[in-house]
Amino acid sequence: MVVSLKDVAERAGVSAKTVSNVVNGYRHVTPATRRRVQQAIDELGYRPNLTARHLRAGRTGIIALALPELNNPYFAELAEEVIDYAAGLGCTVLLDPTHGRRDQEVLFVRGVRAGLIDGLILSPIELENEDLAERGSEAPLVLLGEREYDAPYDHIAIDNVAAARTATRHLLELGRRRIAFLGARHGRTRQPAHLRLRGWREELAAAGAAAGDDLVATTDGYTRADGARAMARLLDSGAAPDAVFCYNDLVAIGAMRTLGERGLRVPEDVAVVGFDDIEDGRYCAAALTTIAPHKRAIARAAVDALLARLDPARTPPPDSSRRIRPGFALVPRESTLGRP
Amino acid sequence: MVVSLKDVAERAGVSAKTVSNVVNGYRHVTPATRRRVQQAIDELGYRPNLTARHLRAGRTGIIALALPELNNPYFAELAEEVIDYAAGLGCTVLLDPTHGRRDQEVLFVRGVRAGLIDGLILSPIELENEDLAERGSEAPLVLLGEREYDAPYDHIAIDNVAAARTATRHLLELGRRRIAFLGARHGRTRQPAHLRLRGWREELAAAGAAAGDDLVATTDGYTRADGARAMARLLDSGAAPDAVFCYNDLVAIGAMRTLGERGLRVPEDVAVVGFDDIEDGRYCAAALTTIAPHKRAIARAAVDALLARLDPARTPPPDSSRRIRPGFALVPRESTLGRP
């Protein structure tokens, strides 16, 4: 005899929806109800077959989330938000680290997992416009992050130029005048200038402060090691910055490590601002001032946008891509303000 | 016309196996071959249906990896290793954060994703022996980490007692005598003493050094915030440690933050040792001395053990559970040795 969800619901004395919530691991079930449902499941030997269920509906119930790397806490924190929110909507999330490699990103947008997933959320690093133009896959795709594309896909990103201007203004208001930018991307291909670099430049120009190339340090990636090396190069170059605005918190943490090794004090000698508000930054010797993107809002917007494209009743015309801009906030801490 | 993998192979002039490697996103394909195969896929409009393919084989090709949280870099780093290694073997990994909650862990071992996954790798925090005894699911299960169980499942863990003794011995050899343990778990239920706590105690006893309860600080979890609070409590208690061995690197990073706030120098006043060798530790103001478990070996052992259980030709008798002990190493850095 095949035991159905309805059988379990009857035995447990709850609705089929509640059984479904328990089976799908949602959090919005009281422990007592969860125990009762689990007991009924055990007694009846009920085994939900999620794959079969979704396949009957022409969907797998799985969405892919392709991020550069889980080792970057920003992406790990964002992934947790996406997984939690998607679970509440009945979706399972498949995490795919791309390592920021163009060939991996191309594979994903071309539908390497076609048949397994209903749609894809991608945070690209190296992907180019032509990769999207030549995509060939019809699975819904939502883009995340700073890279800009001329392609008909929903794109979720905070206003990176405004955020960078906010960070730079904070340093200007503290009286800093030689504010360096750490983490301009240095790649084989000619990439568009980073929006964060543009924001830094615009704000400095508006204030009449120095914004020369001698104050811009490129990096190969956005890791702590990249930040440490770039800071060392900047100091060795004689640029003599009194502040650095870093592409992200990891780069900032690496930069602070180098400053410490050189005997320079943060923020007295060099003030430091990061970007991402990862937890690590709060526990540095000088807690890190940073730009905090609203990660939960980003995660929700991405999942909502993808699911909207999957819902035949709600699907917008295919060429109507949307730009969604979740909020951000400056979080001033000791790396610019000093210890109270 | 349905385009087959063989059609693609013929068009690209490669073997079907190579097409399969490209489709599955394996890394062991040269860029030139990948491009040729991708071009053939595009020209023919080939769309692999992974789900259907695996279902025909009675498997989904998906294994679940249930970890406490991706926000702990140790688990993020371990997850990347598992995903990479599994991909090379044709498996997709579904990441499930449990938040270290017993109800979530119970759901997973009971087979919440039955039908979707072939097997499960779980790193439990709160799961109890009886939860495994009452499991009811037949999907292969492999356990990771410090918790010990009387249950017939393969268990992958480094020798935590030996690792803790190694860390403690390092501090003793540096002349420290009041070595505290930070991160004994404090829960509602009576849990077995941590193996790491036991190793700390054994090594101190062998050296005739103090190992009283006044030197043990409990925590609710293993985050930086837990470490910062526990360190503050320990200092306020008057225990006057000259060293702390911490349950993990996050707890150690939190502890160092508190030491800094109190004006205590690391390692001159208090030496600190962590556990996990996460990247964060290397970039602290005093780079963190730690125990480095061999993460790649752990990931490989876990995937291999699970796949062995899935292979009918290789499956050992169901009651033959194995204990696999990957290696570890002490990595001495500035938080015990000082700056060179």
Side-chain angles (χ1 to χ4, degrees):
Chain A
M1 187 196 85
V2 176
V3 179
S4 74
L5 193 119
K6 205 151 152 274
D7 299 328
V8 175
E10 275 174 22
R11 169 76 64 117
V14 300
S15 70
K17 176 71 186 152
T18 300
V19 176
S20 168
N21 285 343
V22 171
V23 164
N24 284 297
Y26 300 162
R27 307 265 155 81
H28 323 291
V29 182
T30 66
T33 302
R34 194 184 292 281
R35 272 195 302 275
R36 202 157 74 233
V37 171
Q38 194 59 57
Q39 196 181 345
I41 287 174
D42 294 344
E43 288 169 6
L44 295 172
Y46 172 67
R47 292 284 165 265
N49 188 323
L50 300 183
T51 311
R53 178 159 59 85
H54 282 294
L55 284 178
R56 277 197 301 276
R59 287 170 45 187
T60 62
I62 304 177
I63 59 180
L65 175 62
L67 299 169
E69 46 180 358
L70 298 174
N71 290 348
N72 180 335
Y74 173 74
F75 292 116
E77 293 176 14
L78 185 64
E80 286 241 6
E81 295 284 1
V82 170
I83 289 171
D84 268 11
Y85 184 62
L89 298 172
C91 284
T92 296
V93 177
L94 205 57
L95 276 178
D96 277 315
T98 63
H99 302 278
R101 282 172 38 176
R102 185 175 171 188
D103 62 337
Q104 287 292 310
E105 293 172 354
V106 167
L107 272 179
F108 290 123
V109 299
R110 286 194 174 168
V112 63
R113 298 205 186 280
L116 180 61
I117 61 162
D118 295 331
L120 173 70
I121 300 169
L122 170 69
S123 178
I125 296 277
E126 294 281 354
L127 193 76
E128 298 290 347
N129 263 317
E130 61 259 37
D131 299 328
L132 283 173
E134 298 164 2
R135 188 175 169 226
S137 165
E138 283 171 16
L141 169 66
V142 170
L143 297 170
L144 293 183
E146 212 209 17
R147 286 292 302 267
E148 301 266 337
Y149 297 95
D150 296 322
Y153 299 105
D154 294 335
H155 188 175
I156 324 282
I158 66 167
D159 185 338
N160 276 279
V161 175
R165 292 192 68 151
T166 300
T168 309
R169 193 175 319 126
H170 172 65
L171 289 165
L172 287 166
E173 285 169 359
L174 291 169
R176 307 291 165 144
R177 276 303 171 267
R178 290 195 57 77
I179 302 170
F181 183 91
L182 226 66
R185 193 68 184 262
H186 174 70
R188 286 158 322 198
T189 55
R190 201 73 216 143
Q191 290 185 11
H194 284 301
L195 300 179
R196 296 176 195 176
L197 178 60
R198 192 201 301 168
W200 167 84
R201 212 183 290 277
E202 285 179 7
E203 190 65 25
L204 290 178
D213 283 346
D214 60 320
L215 286 169
V216 176
T218 56
T219 53
D220 291 325
Y222 304 123
T223 66
R224 298 175 184 88
D226 290 311
R229 280 192 296 263
M231 189 74 235
R233 273 204 328 275
L234 194 70
L235 293 172
D236 292 341
S237 75
D242 58 13
V244 283
F245 169 46
C246 301
Y247 179 81
N248 70 7
D249 285 355
L250 290 183
V251 167
I253 288 168
M256 289 200 289
R257 168 77 204 175
T258 295
L259 290 168
E261 287 172 0
R262 302 292 183 98
L264 293 166
R265 293 162 305 160
V266 176
E268 292 83 351
D269 299 315
V270 181
V272 179
V273 178
F275 204 111
D276 281 351
D277 192 26
I278 61 176
E279 198 187 87
D280 318 32
R282 289 170 231 167
Y283 290 87
C284 292
L288 181 63
T289 295
T290 190
I291 294 288
H294 197 323
K295 297 184 194 91
R296 178 159 299 171
I298 293 169
R300 290 177 174 222
V303 174
D304 285 341
L306 192 62
L307 294 185
R309 299 264 166 196
L310 288 170
D311 182 346
R314 292 161 65 202
T315 301
D319 58 346
S320 73
S321 62
R322 291 185 305 150
R323 300 190 49 92
I324 301 165
R325 291 207 180 282
F328 66 85
L330 173 76
V331 185
R333 297 200 188 101
E334 296 163 0
S335 70
T336 55
L337 302 180
R339 198 160 280 187
Chain B
M1 186 196 87
V2 176
V3 178
S4 75
L5 193 119
K6 203 150 154 278
D7 299 328
V8 175
E10 275 174 22
R11 169 76 64 118
V14 300
S15 70
K17 175 71 186 153
T18 300
V19 176
S20 168
N21 284 344
V22 171
V23 164
N24 285 297
Y26 301 163
R27 308 263 155 82
H28 322 291
V29 181
T30 66
T33 303
R34 194 184 293 283
R35 270 195 304 276
R36 203 157 72 235
V37 171
Q38 193 59 56
Q39 195 180 344
I41 286 174
D42 294 344
E43 288 168 7
L44 296 172
Y46 172 66
R47 291 287 165 262
N49 188 323
L50 299 183
T51 311
R53 178 158 60 84
H54 281 293
L55 284 178
R56 276 198 301 277
R59 288 172 43 188
T60 62
I62 305 177
I63 60 179
L65 175 62
L67 298 170
E69 46 181 358
L70 298 175
N71 290 348
N72 180 335
Y74 173 74
F75 292 116
E77 293 176 13
L78 185 63
E80 287 241 6
E81 295 284 1
V82 170
I83 290 170
D84 269 10
Y85 184 62
L89 298 172
C91 283
T92 296
V93 176
L94 204 59
L95 275 178
D96 276 314
T98 63
H99 301 277
R101 282 172 37 175
R102 185 175 171 188
D103 62 337
Q104 287 291 309
E105 293 172 354
V106 167
L107 272 179
F108 290 124
V109 298
R110 286 194 174 168
V112 63
R113 298 206 185 279
L116 179 60
I117 61 163
D118 295 331
L120 173 70
I121 299 169
L122 169 69
S123 178
I125 296 277
E126 294 281 353
L127 193 77
E128 298 290 347
N129 263 317
E130 61 260 36
D131 299 328
L132 283 173
E134 297 164 2
R135 189 176 168 225
S137 165
E138 284 171 16
L141 168 66
V142 169
L143 297 170
L144 293 183
E146 211 209 17
R147 286 293 302 268
E148 300 267 334
Y149 297 95
D150 296 322
Y153 298 105
D154 293 335
H155 187 175
I156 324 281
I158 66 166
D159 185 337
N160 277 279
V161 175
R165 291 192 69 152
T166 301
T168 308
R169 194 175 319 128
H170 173 64
L171 290 166
L172 286 166
E173 285 169 358
L174 292 170
R176 307 292 165 144
R177 278 299 171 270
R178 290 195 55 77
I179 302 169
F181 183 91
L182 226 67
R185 193 66 184 263
H186 174 70
R188 287 156 323 193
T189 56
R190 200 72 217 143
Q191 289 185 12
H194 284 302
L195 300 178
R196 296 176 196 175
L197 179 60
R198 192 201 299 169
W200 167 85
R201 212 183 290 278
E202 286 179 7
E203 190 64 25
L204 291 178
D213 283 347
D214 60 319
L215 286 169
V216 176
T218 57
T219 53
D220 291 325
Y222 303 124
T223 66
R224 299 175 184 86
D226 289 312
R229 279 192 297 263
M231 189 75 236
R233 274 205 326 277
L234 194 70
L235 293 173
D236 292 341
S237 75
D242 58 13
V244 283
F245 169 45
C246 301
Y247 179 81
N248 69 8
D249 285 355
L250 291 183
V251 167
I253 288 167
M256 288 199 291
R257 168 77 203 174
T258 295
L259 289 167
E261 287 173 359
R262 301 294 182 96
L264 293 166
R265 294 162 304 159
V266 175
E268 293 83 350
D269 300 314
V270 181
V272 179
V273 178
F275 204 111
D276 282 350
D277 193 26
I278 61 176
E279 199 186 86
D280 317 34
R282 289 169 232 167
Y283 289 86
C284 292
L288 182 62
T289 295
T290 190
I291 293 289
H294 196 322
K295 296 184 195 90
R296 178 160 298 171
I298 294 170
R300 290 179 173 220
V303 174
D304 284 341
L306 193 63
L307 294 186
R309 300 264 165 196
L310 288 170
D311 183 345
R314 290 161 65 203
T315 301
D319 57 347
S320 73
S321 62
R322 291 185 306 151
R323 299 189 51 91
I324 301 165
R325 292 205 181 283
F328 66 86
L330 173 76
V331 185
R333 297 199 188 100
E334 296 164 359
S335 71
T336 55
L337 302 181
R339 199 161 278 184

